[in-house]
Amino acid sequence: RLPVNLSDSVRPLLWRYQKHSAGIAVRFATNSSTIGVRYQLLENFKIPNMADTGVKGVDLYALGTDSTWHHIMTVKPFPDQNKICEGTLLNNADTTVMTEYMVYLPLYDGVEKFEVRITPNASISRGNPSLISSEGRIVYYGTSIIQGGCASRPGMALTNILSRELGREVVNLGFSGQGRLDYPVARAMADIEDVAAYIIDPVPNCDAAMCDTLTAGFVSILKDARPDVPVLMIGGPMQPHTRFNQVFRNILTEKNNNFRGRFENLKDKYNNNLYYVDSGIFDSIVDEGTVDGIHLTDYGFIKYAYTMKPLLNQILNK
């Protein structure tokens, strides 16, 4: 998810996680009665707090007659000795029409090879490009939550939900534990073409000093390169245990204060298209919306996405 020329400019662990296919989807149209997939994993990754279907499964969605994307099936990954997974995702589909489909790739693993299986004599073509807005993509930078931890399946990751809801490409630049305001990543983000908005959500992975010293430089790289593109900065949510753990509450409060303080400074310099979302709007999400007190469940991701959607629509349609 990052250009290859950054391989020597970022931490090895960040480079490892950028190889994960979070937020990447394959779209196509077919009149096949059966759809299956076969793919080879990069790592065969495992995480104790996340379902394998989210870590290394794939999701199939179909575009219904109501112009809404509908989930059909998820591959339950059982990799063989060569890290190959496969499964049938649909049977007995209507062969008299070409239907639009979308397959979401794994969130916490990479894909070396990916194949779609259709019935003999069926047609298959690229997905209809008009289904994705031509008004630009959203680039979402952040942490493990943005990468997709801990969605039960790929389609439930925040960036994938927002992409379906907004009809836009949403570039997932969430890196588990590695969203630390790295300037090389900011420069790579600034090089992306046709960007409608940047979202910056790094606080959970940063300490107070990083929030204080790195924020202004990171955002300035984006604003100096793309002055007309909105940048939305998001504070770190108060995780459930911070209501009772005074030490962690104080740490998170200091981080948010520093991050918000740098926003106020930046607002004086860039008074156009710079926004801040206070973490308080997510308080109700983390109450019952996490797996482990930090990472989100599908319920948490749905609530998060539906909280973000009107904010993004307001910024994008301004």
Side-chain angles (χ1 to χ4, degrees), residues 105-122:
L105 301 186
L107 298 173
Y108 267 75
D109 210 323
V111 173
E112 296 273 31
K113 183 179 182 181
F114 180 81
E115 299 169 290
V116 174
R117 185 179 73 247
I118 59 174
T119 52
N121 302 318

Side-chain angles (χ1 to χ4, degrees), residues 145-161:
I145 292 174
I146 306 309
Q147 181 168 338
C150 292
S152 69
R153 52 183 181 82
M156 295 308 297
L158 174 64
T159 56
N160 292 338
I161 297 172

Side-chain angles (χ1 to χ4, degrees), residues 204-226:
N205 281 173
C206 294
D207 59 28
M210 292 175 183
C211 291
D212 188 41
T213 61
L214 299 179
T215 301
F218 191 96
V219 174
S220 292
I221 289 171
L222 301 177
K223 293 301 295 179
D224 290 343
R226 310 277 183 181

Side-chain angles (χ1 to χ4, degrees), residues 40-280:
Q40 186 175 25
L41 295 168
L42 177 67
E43 295 188 47
N44 194 16
F45 203 73
K46 297 285 288 186
I47 312 176
N49 58 346
M50 187 169 174
D52 278 356
T53 45
V55 172
K56 51 196 171 190
V58 301
D59 270 348
L60 178 67
Y61 278 70
L63 188 67
T65 55
D66 58 355
S67 298
T68 299
W69 288 102
H70 297 276
H71 176 245
I72 297 177
M73 189 69 70
T74 303
V75 169
K76 302 176 183 66
F78 292 101
D80 65 14
Q81 66 273 16
N82 295 315
K83 304 178 187 175
I84 293 174
C85 303
E86 60 182 311
T88 299
L89 292 167
L90 178 62
N91 283 312
N92 306 310
D94 186 354
T95 60
T96 65
V97 295
M98 292 288 284
T99 301
E100 293 274 341
Y101 295 97
M102 179 162 53
V103 176
Y104 287 110
L105 301 186
L107 298 173
Y108 267 75
D109 210 323
V111 173
E112 296 273 31
K113 183 179 182 181
F114 180 81
E115 299 169 290
V116 174
R117 185 179 73 247
I118 59 174
T119 52
N121 302 318
S123 298
I124 188 168
S125 63
R126 296 177 61 183
N128 181 358
S130 69
L131 296 176
I132 297 294
S133 172
S134 61
E135 296 180 354
R137 52 180 60 89
I138 297 169
V139 178
Y140 211 130
Y141 172 77
T143 65
S144 54
I145 292 174
I146 306 309
Q147 181 168 338
C150 292
S152 69
R153 52 183 181 82
M156 295 308 297
L158 174 64
T159 56
N160 292 338
I161 297 172
L162 286 173
S163 180
R164 293 194 301 274
E165 288 290 320
L166 299 172
R168 290 177 183 264
E169 180 182 357
V170 181
V171 178
N172 186 312
L173 293 181
F175 309 110
S176 186
Q178 303 301 311
R180 301 179 186 175
L181 296 168
D182 297 272
Y183 289 178
V185 176
R187 287 189 282 271
M189 293 167 62
D191 286 340
I192 297 174
E193 298 293 335
D194 299 322
V195 177
Y198 293 108
I199 305 175
I200 313 300
D201 188 2
V203 172
N205 281 173
C206 294
D207 59 28
M210 292 175 183
C211 291
D212 188 41
T213 61
L214 299 179
T215 301
F218 191 96
V219 174
S220 292
I221 289 171
L222 301 177
K223 293 301 295 179
D224 290 343
R226 310 277 183 181
D228 295 328
V229 176
V231 174
L232 177 61
M233 299 168 61
I234 300 179
M238 282 290 179
Q239 297 146 0
H241 65 276
T242 58
R243 290 194 178 92
F244 304 95
N245 187 320
Q246 298 181 63
V247 171
F248 278 100
R249 181 170 67 248
N250 292 338
I251 289 173
L252 185 51
T253 298
E254 183 183 7
K255 292 199 295 182
N256 275 331
N257 287 343
N258 288 349
F259 194 60
R260 179 63 184 257
R262 299 294 73 75
F263 163 77
E264 298 295 345
N265 296 146
L266 289 162
K267 191 69 175 174
D268 291 337
K269 181 179 180 182
Y270 305 103
N271 57 12
N272 181 39
N273 286 333
L274 185 62
Y275 305 90
Y276 191 88
V277 174
D278 188 88
S279 63

